Amino acid sequence: MEAVLYYLIIKPLSWLPLPWLHQLSNILSWVLYRPVKFRSKVIRDNISRSFPEKSAAEQEKIVRGYYLHLTDLVVEAIKSFSISRAEIMGRCRAINPEIFAPYYKKGQSVIVAAGHYNNWEMVATAFAAQIEHNCIGLYKPLKSAFFNQKITASRSQFGMRMVSIRDTREYFSTDKGTNLTLFATDQSPSNPKRAHWVKFLNQDTGVLFGTEAYARKYQLPVFYGHIEKVGRGRYEISFELITDAPQDMPQGALTEAHTKLLENDIRRAPEYWLWSHRRWKHKRPSQEEMAAAKD
């Protein structure tokens, strides 16, 4: 059934020009917003708690904008199955890839922290071909082996190498290449007692500690990737150095720094973040619970 869906519907749709697919997105977004009300409560609760200072009308504008952004992500993901190198490079541009050049020249790997903001998938796929480092994307495998293989192949088609998050420890301990490793930093932690807790978008938020942990252990410079939407289906990514000496920062400072940078981006254009995700499903544990989890 999965193969039928892919070869009879998804793949043929991917051959359509992206502007046509965006017209389909217009329809899909209205369907999800009005009759279906896809995850309406989750989306509205997340937005209202994140922006209590905004009026009901302002919050609803974000909600409506998010539904259109969400369906744009869907059709742009479909397009990625057949997009050409020339088209994706024209749609996703790395603004300052030269920032990594000094590290590449001395054979030093780096980390880029980013969130699920704008079309992170398309940007990551494209900028792998715009830098000298080997670009490594950490990902959570899908339950469907068929779609996991298809999506992984799509993400890898222009130079990105995909590594399952289950293999992160082995990858860092054994891979000796000059790599740029991408971390998605805004996922909800599976174990809130081992997360680092911060104030993010007006709420207590557990943040995965992996970015900081691996940066400190292997003494890797850490950059943040700002993704900006410059037109429908067109994006730019710029990189900002957070630190090139993570081991010298106080515990938790690096995690708080990249989380704050993501929050600033979201506040500038909130409709482009992933509001339908249940980001705040965990409550902050007590200090005693977190201390016991680390023992």
Side-chain angles (χ1 to χ4, degrees):
M1 187 62 188
E2 293 170 338
V4 171
L5 173 64
Y6 177 77
Y7 287 111
L8 292 187
I9 299 177
I10 295 176
K11 189 67 175 182
L13 281 174
S14 76
W15 295 329
L16 295 175
L18 193 51
W20 293 18
L21 290 173
H22 281 143
Q23 292 304 310
L24 175 60
S25 175
N26 293 339
I27 299 169
L28 290 175
S29 69
W30 180 85
V31 171
L32 293 185
Y33 177 61
R34 288 296 186 192
V36 174
K37 301 186 187 303
F38 173 74
R39 292 201 172 185
S40 176
K41 187 177 187 316
V42 172
I43 294 167
R44 286 181 166 82
D45 284 351
N46 283 343
I47 290 171
S48 66
R49 289 197 301 267
S50 297
F51 304 105
E53 75 283 1
K54 293 187 181 295
S55 68
E58 289 172 321
Q59 291 180 11
E60 192 61 24
K61 183 178 179 181
I62 298 171
V63 172
R64 185 67 188 94
Y66 173 67
Y67 276 105
L68 182 59
H69 170 63
L70 179 63
T71 54
D72 273 3
L73 289 180
V74 171
V75 300
E76 288 167 13
I78 290 172
K79 182 62 185 176
S80 70
F81 287 112
S82 65
I83 198 166
S84 68
R85 175 182 286 266
E87 182 171 3
I88 196 169
M89 296 306 160
R91 290 186 173 279
C92 300
R93 187 166 69 99
I95 297 299
N96 58 337
E98 68 279 357
I99 197 171
F100 302 119
Y103 302 95
Y104 180 79
K105 288 177 182 176
K106 59 185 178 182
Q108 186 171 19
S109 294
V110 300
I111 285 174
V112 170
H116 290 89
Y117 187 69
N118 273 310
N119 195 332
W120 66 92
E121 291 273 7
M122 183 182 283
V123 169
T125 300
F127 95 78
Q130 301 176 49
I131 62 170
E132 296 175 293
H133 281 81
N134 303 316
C135 195
I136 312 297
L138 301 176
Y139 77 103
K140 184 177 181 180
L142 301 175
K143 292 181 180 179
S144 165
F146 178 85
F147 277 110
N148 189 69
Q149 187 275 326
K150 292 299 182 185
I151 291 174
T152 301
S154 175
R155 291 167 171 170
S156 304
Q157 61 187 313
F158 302 115
M160 173 83 74
R161 175 181 151 208
M162 304 304 299
V163 173
S164 167
I165 57 173
R166 300 167 186 162
D167 301 324
T168 304
R169 184 175 299 177
E170 180 183 0
Y171 153 66
F172 272 104
S173 64
T174 61
D175 196 303
K176 304 306 178 185
T178 306
N179 300 330
L180 181 154
T181 307
L182 284 166
F183 278 82
T185 61
D186 55 351
Q187 295 169 311
S188 184
S190 57
N191 185 351
K193 297 176 184 177
R194 299 185 68 86
H196 184 76
W197 285 81
V198 301
K199 276 289 184 181
F200 173 67
L201 292 172
N202 200 50
Q203 298 164 81
D204 282 337
T205 306
V207 182
L208 294 168
F209 202 65
T211 303
E212 178 168 335
Y214 285 106
R216 291 169 68 93
K217 182 174 182 178
Y218 295 99
Q219 300 182 23
L220 301 176
V222 179
F223 296 80
Y224 177 78
H226 297 276
I227 303 173
E228 183 179 359
K229 189 170 189 173
V230 295
R232 200 167 187 187
R234 298 188 183 278
Y235 305 92
E236 292 178 345
I237 183 168
S238 60
F239 304 98
E240 175 181 343
L241 177 66
I242 299 176
T243 180
D244 54 12
Q247 67 277 9
D248 295 337
M249 298 181 73
Q251 185 87 351
L254 175 55
T255 300
E256 291 168 17
H258 67 64
T259 302
K260 187 62 179 177
L261 288 167
L262 173 60
E263 180 178 13
N264 292 342
D265 284 349
I266 294 169
R267 288 190 178 279
R268 279 192 289 270
E271 65 270 27
Y272 299 140
W273 194 51
L274 202 59
W275 294 106
S276 50
H277 175 50
R278 291 184 63 228
R279 182 64 182 87
W280 290 282
K281 60 186 175 183
H282 298 302
K283 300 299 182 184
R284 184 194 284 260
S286 67
Q287 291 295 331
E288 292 77 14
E289 289 174 317
M290 289 192 287
K294 292 176 182 178
D295 291 340

